[in-house]
Amino acid sequence: MKEWWIQVGLIAVPLLAVYLHIPPPNLSPALYTWRSTGAFFTYQEQRIFYRDSWGAVGSSDVVILLHGFPTSSYDWYKVWEGLTQRFQRVIALDFIGFGFSDKPRFHRYSIFEQASIVEALVNHLGLIDQKVNLLSHDYGDTVAQELLYRYEHRRQGHINIGSLCLSNGGKCCLQFDLLGD
């Protein structure tokens, strides 16, 4: 490619901004609203952002949305209202290092930790004994697969998965309905 320097610049400028601690730009009104309607919980001294909306009356179904890379829970804003019409609760979080969650420097990020954060959020919200549905995208698919492994092997702290939908990840557009225990 002739303009290789453009690609290098597109990567180098954000990295330089992070290194120099240049503050991020002001939030758009939509992002400001998204953040102001969410909350934070603490996982191992790190603040994790999440959004929890109550929706459909008469439904007892809960859906947890797991975002892709390199984005945030805001990925789900276009389908949020539709999901609240189907599910009693719609929950999304920003994985550590993403969105409004903390981004610790010199941190060893891992899929296992991200899965543990999801489990901690479920516990924080008092849903540890309730079946939840997972809807994941891209990076979130890998986290969802780790959560499914923990569920199937009854690992300590696992969440009870009622269904799982993976989209645009390692396994494209698969849906699992987990019947029974």
Side-chain angles (χ1 to χ4, degrees):
M1 179 169 175
K2 293 180 183 177
E3 285 86 21
W4 61 269
W5 54 272
I6 293 174
Q7 289 183 339
V8 170
L10 289 173
I11 293 170
V13 169
L15 291 175
L16 182 62
V18 169
Y19 179 76
L20 295 175
H21 302 289
I22 297 172
N26 292 333
L27 296 178
S28 69
L31 276 174
Y32 180 80
T33 300
W34 187 263
R35 185 180 67 185
S36 66
T37 57
F40 289 87
F41 81 103
T42 302
Y43 176 81
Q44 296 184 355
E45 301 179 17
Q46 303 297 326
R47 287 174 29 103
I48 305 299
F49 174 83
Y50 69 95
R51 192 155 183 240
D52 181 7
S53 294
W54 290 81
V57 175
S59 173
S60 61
D61 291 341
V62 175
V63 65
I64 299 175
L65 311 172
L66 306 176
H67 68 79
F69 177 86
T71 57
S72 69
S73 59
Y74 189 69
D75 273 359
W76 304 103
Y77 82 98
K78 286 187 178 181
V79 297
W80 194 268
E81 186 178 333
L83 291 170
T84 60
Q85 293 171 8
R86 162 62 179 89
F87 294 94
Q88 179 190 32
R89 285 177 87 173
V90 180
I91 302 163
L93 74 152
D94 289 345
F95 294 125
I96 189 169
F98 296 86
F100 297 120
S101 291
D102 282 350
K103 297 161 192 67
R105 295 177 81 184
F106 311 112
H107 184 79
R108 290 186 56 136
Y109 295 91
S110 76
I111 295 299
F112 306 110
E113 179 184 40
Q114 304 290 24
S116 295
I117 291 170
V118 175
E119 291 172 338
L121 175 61
V122 168
N123 189 43
H124 172 77
L125 296 174
L127 299 171
I128 200 70
D129 294 324
Q130 184 168 346
K131 289 260 186 207
V132 298
N133 303 287
L134 297 177
L135 174 56
S136 63
H137 170 70
D138 187 49
Y139 179 83
D141 285 359
T142 309
V143 176
Q145 289 172 26
E146 173 61 21
L147 290 166
L148 180 60
Y149 175 84
R150 293 177 185 189
Y151 170 74
E152 289 180 339
H153 292 86
R154 302 288 186 221
R155 301 288 186 192
Q156 183 177 358
H158 74 276
I159 62 176
N160 293 313
I161 300 173
S163 71
L164 168 61
C165 181
L166 307 173
S167 64
N168 194 33
K171 308 273 189 225
C172 184
C173 300
L174 294 178
Q175 181 172 347
F176 303 95
D177 288 316
L178 306 170
L179 303 174
D181 288 329

